[in-house]
Amino acid sequence: MEDKTILELKNVRKVFGQIVALDSVSFALKRGEIHGLLGGNGAGKTTLMNILYGLYRKDEGEILLRDETVNIQGPRDAIKHGIGMVHQHFLQISNFTVLENIVLGTDIKNKYTMKMDQEAEKVKELCQRFGLNVNLNDMISTLTVGARQKVEILKALYRGVDILILDEPTTNLTPQEVDALFVSLRVMVNDGLSIVFITHKLREVLSVCDRITVLREGKNITTLDRKDASEEVFVRAMVGEKMDIENSIYFATEVRQGFDRTTVEAPKLKLENVNLISQDGIPRLKDLNLEVFGGEIVGIAGVAGNGQRELAEVVTGVVPITNGKKTYMGDDVTSKTNVDLLSSGFSYIPEDRLSDGFLPKATVAQNLILGQHRIKPYSDGRFINWKTVFSESTKYIKEYNIKTNSPGDIGGNLSGGNIQRVMIARAFSSDSQVMVAHNPTRGLDIPSMDFVYQKMLARREAKLATLLISEDLDELMRISDRIAVIFRGQILGVLVRDEFDKYAIGRLMSGITSENQPTEEKNLP
Amino acid sequence: MTIAKKLLPYLLAVVASFVAAGIFISLMGFDVFKAYQTILFTSFRTPNGFIQTLLKFIPLTLLALAFTIPLNAGKFNIGGEGQMMAGGIGAAAMGIMFADLPAIILLPLVILGGVVAGALWGLIPAWLLYKFNINEILTTVLFNFVAFFLIDYVCTGPWRDPAAGHPTTVLIGRGGWLPMLVNNPPLHSGIILAILVAIGVYIYTSRTTGGYELVATGANPRAAGVFGINTRRMFVLSLVLGGAIAGLAGAFEVAGNQHRLIEGMQSNFLQLGLIIGLISRGNNGAVPFVAFMIAVLEVGASAMQRTMMIPVEMVFIVEALILLFVLLSDVVRRK
């Protein structure tokens, strides 16, 4: 690795309304390194890189590229300067082929015949050089998330960038795909590229990065060589002085005992051969069997879009089961809808908080009682007791650290993380027998995530049942008693806590069961 | 935020619209101050002016509520006019068919006839929405036209008053007339009912569980549905309730003012109702107050036309400008 700084951001400041997103942040990228940009949600990582990529204007500060001040106007300009970015959400056209997506927006030699042999050659050469194997003629819609990410990286490489920014690239990848990605990244930097790796996952930066910069609340905390620092230093830098790391679940290292099933007779929630066929006739859930006991946290792992949302909605009664049986505390509730279930012991944290869980035009208090607005203490069935609602809301705002002035404030003014806290407060406040939590910690900083885990474990102590559906495998392994892996609407396998192995789960996530198991190589960098 | 701070943008909007309209009035060569004096004080100078204002206030409040209740559920009822006419027809039908019944039976029958007919006129678009997902804006507007022709038929059909020069029915039975609160100038007791309805609607939407579900549905139907609210039922309920209230306004026109059905009695209450509803931002508690203010302007406007020959349309411009400035203050505050 040469010690030459290729890119430098100096004292960058960015303010959104009242919120200082970045406060005099500096960042230096050397040639041929993988530089981790680490921090919890809201730390300013993505904002900083969006400024570099020209998506946001900086309020103050300077960008030096190869020792020259540059003023980047937009993504096109950034690419011209050799900076490429792979976003968390891919910008691809799903009914175009891989090749068409890669060349889209660039000059094609044979513009009128659309014969792209030369371009294909060039892309193939890139694929080979960096170990990014994708079939160029495949339609994007048929690809896995991992393959689509390769396409996104190829798009940047094809445009000849030498600085590549990856924003949370491991979201939704199986552990095997993560390993393969890390190998490719190493090849790229050996080839002279420089990579910025944005993540909130400490273990990932430790395993792949050369240097690591930690951001917290929009400020530089530290930049260190991977070799020079212990894990603990980074942990402390990420969360600040306030958090109690010793007792946290997020950073817990000791082994926790799994749930002992011999002590309970009947499950709180039981799904038997549940099938769901969507309105357009596509099967979404197939012969699904699942039991959640009181005092147990059952995790659902899987790549997003494999039926997790449907599972959550079937359990909570938002959509009716096509066929199969659902039992709650021994009673058959197959035909019960959310109208009944939510007032008789179910709570739900939906995945898409803005569309499925939040009333932006209503007040925070109105949001906090949604779903429990028909039952005591909030309502006697006819009238809402606003006095109780307000006093309870004030309590929850404090306990769940929701940043708002009063329960009467309009919900739409809250930030994403605070809206998520409202979802969490609403679900946890009802002491429900069965909770369905879908990506409950999305958008939360580490102390808040830890708070959610504490609350879940408290439910476990109280012998309540929790179904945790998450895209974050670390989260599932941290807290679940059992993990069921869902693939194309089917549960492919269930692992109990002492059998947890991320590669085994990863295999199931990509649809490989033990019967047809190919040899998957673990090539860690 | 204190109430004074909340009211400030409205006050500024009113002042700004008066200033803007004042420029036009003076350009047209009229005395601006005298014009505004007439507009603002006619309602309060004479008992007649005040009662005129109250008589306008009744249908304006009701039609504004007919718009804001569905608005709370996220639906747009632009059919208040048709629902009011349907209510008038229903009330007149009762009053004419059972003309001989005593007041104790006939009066409730007339009022109920109006409410039910109005509710029915709201139910049809609601059902089309529920069953076939047909946009309620379109259907409620179109049902206004159906009501136009229906009222035309009723006023020129078997119940027509041959002595009248204008399409009109015969008088309804004496027992169906609303009792008078003040005889000269006449003020009917519908105002008490109207105020009770406004209070009831306010309590319903802000205090009851059903009202909460209505507001939640309007705030985000998808989330409300996920959390156990039957949103499609709330849509129907809100449109039917809106229709019933507009129908009540029609019944009051028949039983309180005209004592018969007259073509054209719906005036321009629909448009004014929309303006009131929008200025109130769908807040049912604010509707009666805004409606009273608009009623003052309306009465003042006709006086201004009579005494100063300034076209009454000038006041429409003022009302429209108030609305525009109120909406503008939203944009300004967001900046």
Side-chain angles (χ1 to χ4, degrees), chain B residues 169-181:
Chain B
T169 64
V170 292
L171 287 174
I172 62 170
R174 194 76 210 189
W177 295 22
L178 273 168
M180 288 295 156
L181 287 183

Side-chain angles (χ1 to χ4, degrees), chain A residues 4 225 234 302 329 343 432 460 499 502-503:
Chain A
K4 192 168 170 351
D225 261 32
F234 289 113
M329 314 254 288
S343 39
S432 53
R460 194 171 171 274
E499 291 172 1
K502 72 175 181 176
Y503 290 98

Side-chain angles (χ1 to χ4, degrees), chain A residues 309 313 318 338-339 342 348 354-356 358-359 361 366 369-371 373-374 379 382-384 386 426, chain B residues 74 203 206-210 212-213 215-230:
Chain A
R309 187 196 179 108
E313 296 193 343
V318 175
N338 53 345
V339 178
L342 285 167
Y348 181 30
L354 283 183
S355 125
D356 291 3
F358 199 65
L359 312 173
K361 281 185 275 180
Q366 282 173 324
I369 64 169
L370 182 64
H373 57 272
R374 279 198 213 93
S379 162
R382 286 191 302 274
F383 286 89
I384 303 247
W386 284 110
R426 177 162 78 202
Chain B
I203 290 174
S206 63
R207 296 266 177 268
T208 68
T209 309
Y212 171 82
E213 296 197 345
V215 174
T217 301
N220 180 354
R222 167 77 195 154
V226 167
F227 282 88
I229 294 169
N230 188 340

Side-chain angles (χ1 to χ4, degrees), chain A residues 346-369:
Chain A
F346 278 68
S347 62
Y348 181 30
I349 303 174
E351 165 197 42
D352 186 343
R353 58 184 173 230
L354 283 183
S355 125
D356 291 3
F358 199 65
L359 312 173
K361 281 185 275 180
T363 62
V364 174
Q366 282 173 324
N367 268 291
L368 280 168
I369 64 169

